[in-house]
Amino acid sequence: GRCVMRTGIVVSCQNEKTQLQNKAAALRVLQSRLREKARRDREAEMNLLKGDGGNRWGSQMRSYVLHPYQMVKDLRTDFEVSSPDAVFDGELDGFIESGIRWRRTSEAAGS
């Protein structure tokens, strides 16, 4: 059996006794390869969004002010909120969206 997908992945199997069994085996291998490709694609997308992840010393991405007033600010995008408790509880959508816009603008400026 042989399976070809639009992704360019080609799977061929001739280990089984019948063509039908070979096709079923090829489909199992193909499904496995497609899952692995999807995982790699998601990982690549996450790495693109992360960039260097602020791994360098002094490349602070966000500041948290808790006293005398309250604020969380993304230092790259200037996006800020006045509710650090919400951020600590996981409300990060605004930071993620502003970070994506900032990265797209940075990439467009660099190309």
Side-chain angles (χ1 to χ4, degrees), residues 42-60:
R42 280 192 309 273
E43 186 176 293
E45 185 177 354
M46 293 305 292
N47 288 337
L48 179 65
L49 291 174
K50 283 193 302 192
D52 69 4
N55 292 327
R56 297 183 316 265
W57 181 257
S59 60
Q60 183 179 356

Side-chain angles (χ1 to χ4, degrees), residues 42-109:
R42 280 192 309 273
E43 186 176 293
E45 185 177 354
M46 293 305 292
N47 288 337
L48 179 65
L49 291 174
K50 283 193 302 192
D52 69 4
N55 292 327
R56 297 183 316 265
W57 181 257
S59 60
Q60 183 179 356
M61 184 170 71
R62 200 172 295 129
S63 69
Y64 297 82
V65 179
L66 304 177
H67 184 75
Y69 55 92
Q70 295 192 341
M71 178 183 71
V72 180
K73 181 174 184 175
D74 187 316
L75 301 173
R76 303 163 308 161
T77 65
D78 288 332
F79 178 81
E80 63 182 64
V81 295
S82 59
S83 54
D85 288 336
V87 175
F88 295 147
D89 287 339
E91 285 188 30
L92 300 172
D93 289 350
F95 290 101
I96 293 169
E97 291 168 7
S98 66
I100 291 170
R101 283 192 303 273
W102 173 81
R103 185 171 306 284
R104 286 181 182 155
T105 302
S106 297
E107 289 172 355

Side-chain angles (χ1 to χ4, degrees), residues 9-11 28-38:
I9 297 173
V10 178
V11 176
R28 286 192 302 274
V29 172
L30 179 61
Q31 287 173 338
S32 175
R33 290 187 184 173
L34 288 173
R35 279 193 298 270
E36 178 60 22
K37 181 182 181 323

Side-chain angles (χ1 to χ4, degrees), residues 6-43:
R6 279 188 247 166
T7 59
I9 297 173
V10 178
V11 176
S12 180
C13 180
Q14 298 181 6
N15 298 333
E16 303 299 330
K17 292 181 182 178
T18 70
Q19 186 67 19
L20 189 58
Q21 289 172 326
N22 282 328
K23 185 173 183 177
L27 283 172
R28 286 192 302 274
V29 172
L30 179 61
Q31 287 173 338
S32 175
R33 290 187 184 173
L34 288 173
R35 279 193 298 270
E36 178 60 22
K37 181 182 181 323
R39 185 196 63 77
R40 283 194 315 267
D41 291 348
R42 280 192 309 273
E43 186 176 293

